């Protein structure tokens, strides 16, 4: 599998946020889920993308799973460690 860059994840997150009229700056360490910037439908879209593009199992029983995907930096690290 290929590694993903922060720019690729940033573009995806920006696209999702723009659908919600959120055009505010997003930094690599900014909270996405815990801050409420991504709602449940946005998270589902992100999970489908990760599963389809990178084979990441999003039906994870790890209770800390979503905390591991709460920023551009953490999403990038998670994908690169698990593919």
């Amino acid at each position: 599998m290929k590694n993903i860059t922060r720019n690729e994840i940033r573009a995806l997150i920006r696209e999702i946020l723009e659908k919600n009229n959120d055009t505010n700056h997003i930094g690599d360490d900014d909270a996405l889920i815990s801050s409420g910037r991504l709602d449940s439908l946005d998270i589902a879209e992100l999970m489908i993308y990760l599963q389809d593009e990178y084979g990441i199992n999003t039906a994870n029983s790890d209770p800390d799973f979503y905390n591991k995907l709460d920023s551009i930096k953490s999403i990038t690290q998670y994908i690169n460690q698990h593919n």
Side-chain angles (χ1 to χ4, degrees):
M1 290 281 199
K2 69 176 185 164
N3 280 348
I4 191 166
T5 66
R6 287 185 190 176
N7 286 336
E8 291 172 288
I9 291 297
R10 187 178 300 106
L12 171 66
I13 297 299
R14 184 172 289 127
E15 182 180 314
I16 292 171
L17 291 173
E18 286 176 355
K19 290 178 188 176
N20 298 331
N21 296 318
D22 181 347
T23 57
N24 296 324
H25 171 77
I26 182 162
D28 288 350
D29 292 313
D30 291 354
L32 301 169
I33 298 170
S34 63
S35 70
R37 287 185 80 178
L38 295 182
D39 63 23
S40 59
L41 292 176
D42 300 330
I43 295 167
E45 184 176 346
L46 175 62
M47 296 298 104
I48 290 168
Y49 176 84
L50 296 179
Q51 189 166 330
D52 290 350
E53 295 296 319
Y54 297 96
I56 302 295
N57 180 8
T58 59
N60 198 315
S61 61
D62 178 359
D64 198 40
F65 181 67
Y66 293 106
N67 291 330
K68 294 176 183 173
L69 303 176
D70 198 28
S71 70
I72 290 171
K73 181 180 177 181
S74 63
I75 294 168
T76 305
Q77 288 174 337
Y78 188 88
I79 292 170
N80 290 335
Q81 289 171 354
H82 292 89
N83 81 41

